[in-house]
Amino acid sequence: MNPERLPLQSADGAQINLDMLYQIAPSCFTETKGSDGKLHRVVNFDVLRQLLGDAAVDTGEEFYQFTWPGKAEARREAARPIKKTLRPVIDESEDWDNTKNLYIEGDNLEVLKLLQKSYMGKVKMIYIDPPYNTGKDFVYNDDYACSTYEQDEAEGNIDDTGNRYRKNLETGGRFHSVWCSMIFSRLSVARSLLSEDGVIFISIDGHELVNLKKICDQIFGERNFIEVFNWAKTETPENLSKKAKQIIEYVLCYQKNKDSVKFSGIKKTSVSSNGLLNQPNGVKTLVFPANKVLTSIPNQVIHAGMYGTDAYDVELLEDTEVKDGLFIKPVKLSAKFKWKQENLEEEIKNGTIIRIPTLKFSPSYEKSEYDAEVPSNLINSKVNVDTNEVAGNYQVELFGKKVFNYPKPVSLIKYLLGFRDCSNDDEIIIMDFFSGSGTTAEAVIEMSKDIIDKPIKYILVQLQEDLYKSLASANTPSEKEIIQNAIDLCNENNWPCVITEVAKERIRRAGKKIKEEAGLQGQNIDTGFRVFRVDESNFEDVYFQPAALSQNDLGLLIDNVKPGRTDLDLLFGAMLDWGVQLSLPMQKETIDGKGVYSVNGGDLVACFANDITENIIAHIAEKSPLRVLFRDSCFKSDAVKINIFEQLKQRLDWSDEEAIKNIRVI
């Protein structure tokens, strides 16, 4: 029995949707024989319509929907698999062997597809800051977006002879349609990566806010909408509009499944005092126990009587005494208190600090940790979130000059990421697939200082945008100056002049700064990242029809790996295809002069050398691997391949089904 080959493409989005449908409606599935001669599970739409009853609708009928020319193709593109891979770039990485963070360069739609098998349902939080569609060209102008002619034809702007009779203004549908198609396909794939209780935050301005909300309602479900948060992006708005100065930007928030866990809100981090008096409450009597209440009152006996503030009457019902900053006798008060006696006693038991600082007898409390509070939908300096100006000035600390236009402040992303309670998570993966200047990476590093008992890691994705092209399209002298600064930085260091090089350097410098400021407590903070880059498949396309093979193609049947691809290229490509996370530790050992790779101590063990030996097979079996991978050229013949397959099956005590599932060949 031969081991099977590993698939050489990303996940099939249509198959993912079929699998999800099968979980809730298996009775609508049947089997049919495909062109490959194998049985395939397919949907019987007649049965599905019966299950849906009156909830099924024909597309020809009138019904509420949000659509645009190009939407159907965007939906198809989101589900379409690709034959690409991620290649490791070790020399541009930071602390490769130890880090759990990933920095991936390439088109984010392709990256999201490539990550589906390894990270489906694993990402706890996503933050993205996509292009705002302000009328400028944006880089993510996908090939599948419909052409101007197709757009005009769909909108009825073409007459019978093919003449276009409406101007293509920014207010027209095409202006919005291209952007909608771009974001729709990416969010569709990104949703599959979110865990059931995962949360996504999307920054946007007013140009596409309404359309983005409708798209998110379709992808995540309107019932899973959390809020549109309003972030005060500036304190010095530009005078670009005669109607209103733009101070606010928006952050849309959705949860994948709103019922899976309570959206916990934000935890108060300050230890500022909280008053115990509250005007709407009725008058209650509280007895504060002796030796538990702190004060600034000098040593003395205090007699019963009326005290209080301008707003509150507080009556001391019995004499009490202060000594060395502590009430050494009980303090019995009557006032409009928030708490009952049992609440007071429980808080003191849990370590809450109670103070009655002055003779006004207005008590307050301080907790070492506060319960999560529902956040306000206004995000500004009152919750310690900075503006764009602060984010811009922060660059000067790191680089001595500004090198990014309009970066988000670290405090904004850190604040948003704090909305979700991570206390019950085994690991925390945070993703940003429009990562730009790399602010999300710094926010995650900052978070890791506070969450030390579990791994917290990021996946950043960014296209290698050409800085010279960005310079050519910049609109203002300030924008041009900042981009030129970035170009100068790249030239000084002999880097390619692309935004990813500047962003990686920002993460390095920010990580170093955070570690230095944290001192000894920061030595274990993960400030590294593994760099990967999207590329064409590691393998030649050998899936020809026999009649299409030429004499020159026959060599591909012997070795289908493209020239220049390394063992690590093959290993990480296989990890993507097999659903293994790219951040796992790995080890290379040499057995009989040949390299054997082990991922995470045995999650995947691979050998790509020619003519593997009995010792290599024994070594692999000793690791009790979950998966075993070989290259086709490892075997001299099919007979050797079958023999090794049987040896591993026996050594690992696998059944035929387990062996076929766990041993693969590329």
Side-chain angles (χ1 to χ4, degrees):
M1 185 175 294
N2 267 315
E4 294 188 357
R5 291 186 177 275
L6 201 63
L8 302 182
Q9 65 179 25
S10 65
D12 187 328
Q15 187 59 50
I16 293 172
N17 293 333
L18 283 172
D19 292 341
M20 294 173 63
L21 180 60
Y22 185 77
Q23 297 300 316
I24 58 174
S27 61
C28 71
F29 282 79
T30 185
E31 289 183 342
T32 186
K33 185 175 288 187
S35 58
D36 56 2
K38 297 181 179 179
L39 289 176
H40 295 270
R41 195 169 61 193
V42 294
V43 177
N44 184 323
F45 273 98
D46 289 337
V47 175
L48 180 59
R49 289 184 65 86
Q50 292 169 14
L51 292 175
L52 296 176
D54 293 338
V57 63
D58 291 322
T59 55
E61 297 177 3
E62 236 178 42
F63 59 96
Y64 175 79
Q65 63 174 327
F66 172 57
T67 191
W68 62 90
K71 180 180 180 181
E73 180 57 25
R75 182 182 286 116
R76 286 191 289 268
E77 178 58 32
R80 190 176 291 136
I82 59 172
K83 291 183 179 179
K84 291 200 173 186
T85 192
L86 297 180
R87 299 182 67 185
V89 189
I90 297 177
D91 58 346
E92 295 181 20
S93 303
E94 193 75 18
D95 195 17
W96 172 276
D97 290 331
N98 301 305
T99 186
K100 304 294 183 185
N101 301 315
L102 305 180
Y103 189 94
I104 305 175
E105 301 177 0
D107 183 282
N108 51 16
L109 179 57
E110 294 178 343
V111 174
L112 290 168
K113 290 182 179 184
L114 290 170
L115 295 179
Q116 272 186 301
K117 293 180 182 178
S118 298
Y119 292 92
M120 187 175 295
K122 302 285 178 55
V123 176
K124 296 296 183 181
M125 288 176 275
I126 294 175
Y127 170 81
I128 58 172
D129 185 15
Y132 283 0
N133 203 21
T134 56
K136 304 176 186 177
D137 291 336
F138 53 87
V139 178
Y140 298 89
N141 192 3
D142 301 300
D143 292 338
Y144 60 82
C146 59
S147 68
T148 303
Y149 185 88
E150 292 169 328
Q151 174 80 23
D152 289 329
E153 187 177 39
E155 291 182 345
N157 296 348
I158 302 293
D159 63 19
D160 293 338
T161 60
N163 295 316
R164 182 171 170 274
Y165 56 87
R166 289 184 190 172
K167 292 182 178 180
N168 188 21
L169 303 175
E170 283 190 2
T171 53
R174 177 175 168 77
F175 176 71
H176 294 287
S177 294
V178 174
W179 189 91
C180 288
S181 291
M182 180 277 295
I183 201 69
F184 182 89
S185 57
R186 285 159 175 81
L187 291 179
S188 295
V189 183
R191 182 187 179 278
S192 70
L193 302 183
L194 275 178
S195 61
E196 279 301 297
D197 58 349
V199 180
I200 184 169
F201 300 96
I202 309 171
S203 282
I204 199 69
D205 71 354
H207 288 85
E208 296 291 354
L209 173 64
V210 173
N211 289 337
L212 178 61
K213 174 69 167 61
K214 292 176 181 178
I215 288 171
C216 288
D217 283 347
Q218 291 187 7
I219 292 173
F220 298 100
E222 189 173 359
R223 63 181 300 277
N224 292 316
F225 168 69
I226 300 295
E227 185 56 84
V228 177
F229 293 97
N230 299 268
W231 167 53
K233 70 172 182 176
T234 181
E235 294 179 351
T236 56
E238 297 177 341
N239 292 311
L240 298 179
S241 173
K242 297 180 180 179
K243 301 297 183 181
K245 293 182 179 180
Q246 302 299 311
I247 292 177
I248 297 296
E249 280 189 4
Y250 309 97
V251 182
L252 269 71
C253 179
Y254 284 78
Q255 197 160 13
K256 186 173 182 180
N257 183 352
K258 202 172 183 179
D259 295 334
S260 60
V261 68
K262 183 180 179 182
F263 187 70
S264 60
I266 190 74
K267 284 195 172 183
K268 184 176 178 181
T269 55
S270 68
V271 293
S272 59
S273 298
N274 299 271
L276 272 175
L277 300 175
N278 190 34
Q279 200 63 253
N281 290 55
V283 175
K284 302 184 186 74
T285 297
L286 289 184
V287 179
F288 296 80
N291 301 310
K292 293 293 183 181
V293 181
L294 302 178
T295 185
S296 300
I297 301 172
N299 294 351
Q300 60 182 288
V301 174
I302 305 172
H303 298 289
M306 293 300 298
Y307 296 87
T309 68
D310 293 340
Y312 294 97
D313 292 329
V314 181
E315 184 177 3
L316 177 63
L317 300 177
E318 297 177 359
D319 292 354
T320 186
E321 185 176 354
V322 172
K323 185 176 182 182
D324 299 331
L326 194 68
F327 281 93
I328 62 172
K329 290 185 177 180
V331 182
K332 189 173 183 179
L333 299 176
S334 176
K336 293 182 175 182
F337 288 117
K338 296 178 181 178
W339 293 348
K340 297 179 180 179
Q341 186 68 37
E342 52 266 32
N343 300 127
L344 172 64
E345 293 171 0
E346 183 66 22
E347 291 292 340
I348 292 175
K349 179 182 176 182
N350 292 334
T352 298
I353 298 171
I354 307 297
R355 296 181 187 273
I356 301 178
T358 69
L359 284 171
K360 293 182 179 181
F361 278 92
S362 177
S364 64
Y365 67 92
E366 296 173 10
K367 294 184 179 184
S368 57
E369 184 174 341
Y370 291 85
D371 295 333
E373 299 175 355
V374 175
S376 163
N377 65 359
L378 177 61
I379 301 175
N380 58 13
S381 59
K382 291 185 178 180
V383 291
N384 300 314
V385 173
D386 298 319
T387 62
N388 267 341
E389 290 91 346
V390 174
N393 293 333
Y394 174 65
Q395 296 179 61
V396 181
E397 291 184 40
L398 293 179
F399 293 99
K401 53 190 174 183
K402 295 180 181 180
V403 292
F404 296 107
N405 277 311
Y406 313 114
K408 292 295 187 289
V410 174
S411 55
L412 170 64
I413 301 176
K414 189 178 178 183
Y415 178 76
L416 295 172
L417 298 182
F419 283 6
R420 190 186 175 283
D421 183 6
C422 299
S423 59
N424 296 320
D425 296 326
D426 295 327
E427 69 172 5
I428 305 162
I429 300 176
I430 294 170
M431 172 177 271
D432 183 346
F433 52 89
F434 285 96
S435 64
S437 65
T439 304
T440 298
E442 187 170 349
V444 171
I445 297 170
E446 286 278 1
M447 283 183 66
S448 66
K449 292 192 305 183
D450 306 321
I451 306 175
I452 59 176
D453 58 339
K454 61 191 65 183
I456 174 170
K457 48 195 177 185
Y458 62 76
I459 302 174
L460 263 56
V461 185
Q462 177 59 40
L463 194 68
Q464 292 177 296
E465 296 178 32
D466 188 314
L467 291 172
Y468 284 109
K469 290 184 179 179
S470 299
L471 181 64
S473 63
N475 289 334
T476 67
S478 175
E479 288 178 352
K480 290 180 182 292
E481 179 184 357
I482 292 172
I483 297 171
Q484 186 61 57
N485 288 341
I487 291 172
D488 293 343
L489 179 67
C490 290
N491 289 331
E492 289 166 9
N493 291 277
N494 294 317
W495 300 333
C497 286
V498 291
I499 190 174
T500 51
E501 296 301 325
V502 188
K504 287 182 290 189
E505 182 64 14
R506 181 259 176 89
I507 299 170
R508 293 186 190 101
R509 296 189 185 195
K512 181 181 178 181
K513 180 175 181 290
I514 291 169
K515 268 194 171 182
E516 289 175 350
E517 292 175 350
L520 292 176
Q521 294 180 338
Q523 296 312 301
N524 294 325
I525 298 174
D526 184 358
T527 59
F529 49 87
R530 287 182 175 178
V531 177
F532 292 86
R533 193 166 290 144
V534 174
D535 205 338
E536 299 301 318
S537 170
N538 291 317
F539 305 95
E540 304 285 2
D541 189 357
V542 296
Y543 299 100
F544 300 97
Q545 295 295 328
L549 283 172
S550 68
Q551 186 67 34
N552 292 333
D553 296 323
L554 295 178
L556 298 178
L557 301 179
I558 300 172
D559 188 356
N560 64 339
V561 177
K562 289 179 179 176
R565 301 302 167 103
T566 67
D567 283 357
L568 285 182
D569 288 331
L570 300 181
L571 180 62
F572 280 102
M575 290 166 68
L576 286 172
D577 288 332
W578 220 336
V580 180
Q581 293 191 16
L582 301 180
S583 60
L584 293 176
M586 60 186 58
Q587 178 185 18
K588 180 183 178 182
E589 299 173 279
T590 302
I591 309 297
D592 289 346
K594 303 177 190 297
V596 178
Y597 298 87
S598 178
V599 178
N600 202 33
D603 282 8
L604 170 62
V605 181
C607 182
F608 305 115
N610 294 335
D611 303 329
I612 59 176
T613 64
E614 295 264 351
N615 286 336
I616 292 175
I617 299 303
H619 180 77
I620 291 174
E622 285 174 3
K623 294 185 174 293
S624 299
L626 299 179
R627 307 168 184 84
V628 181
L629 180 69
F630 298 109
R631 187 172 169 176
D632 219 8
S633 58
C634 291
F635 315 106
K636 290 182 178 179
S637 64
D638 283 346
V640 172
K641 184 189 300 184
I642 294 170
N643 180 49
I644 289 175
F645 181 88
E646 292 296 331
Q647 285 187 55
L648 279 172
K649 188 177 75 171
Q650 292 173 15
R651 288 176 181 269
L652 295 168
D653 195 27
W654 283 343
S655 65
D656 284 344
E657 291 77 13
E658 289 172 324
I660 291 172
K661 176 184 176 183
N662 299 336
I663 305 173
R664 294 293 175 90
V665 174
I666 55 174

